[in-house]
Amino acid sequence: MFSTGNRRTGPNLEAYAMTVEQILLAVGVDPMQARLNTEGGFGWSFQRGSAVIEVYVSQQESSGYLQVLSPIMHLPQSGLLALYRRLLEMNLQLTNAALGVYLDVVYLFSERPLEGLDSVEANHIISLIAGYADDLDDKLVSEFGGRLYARI
């Protein structure tokens, strides 16, 4: 179970990180191999189907956050207006997730403050983003071109 920490020092990031690692183990991911070097927090990266999934437990100012994201595709050379419109339309259909673009890569992401977060909800968020990403990456590349992020 997650620890909320105290109001002076913020959330206990280590406790949240341990819970994320237990979730990763339960879905067949070795958290030690998946661990990323991050400043001021914890991170993991793993493959789910054709998608790369990244999970971060971090401190921003006085609050901690769970961030789950997936860089799903590189932007195509043309047809960006249609793609951007499709991404906006998809945003209204996604639950607890959103699509965005950063440095010419389409990302699927979910972010939630650590306060009040339990292991069941964290597991749900990680599984939700992994499922959406594995489904949407192939569909978007097929429809608009570009290339999957997971492929070089």
Side-chain angles (χ1 to χ4, degrees), residues 73 136-146 148:
M73 67 178 283
L136 292 177
D137 61 354
D138 294 314
K139 286 181 182 178
L140 288 170
V141 168
S142 174
E143 187 174 347
F144 295 100
L148 291 176

Side-chain angles (χ1 to χ4, degrees), residues 108-124:
L108 176 69
F109 65 95
S110 181
E111 180 177 76
R112 188 210 186 281
L114 292 176
E115 187 174 340
L117 179 68
D118 64 25
S119 59
V120 172
E121 186 177 1
N123 186 21
H124 175 75

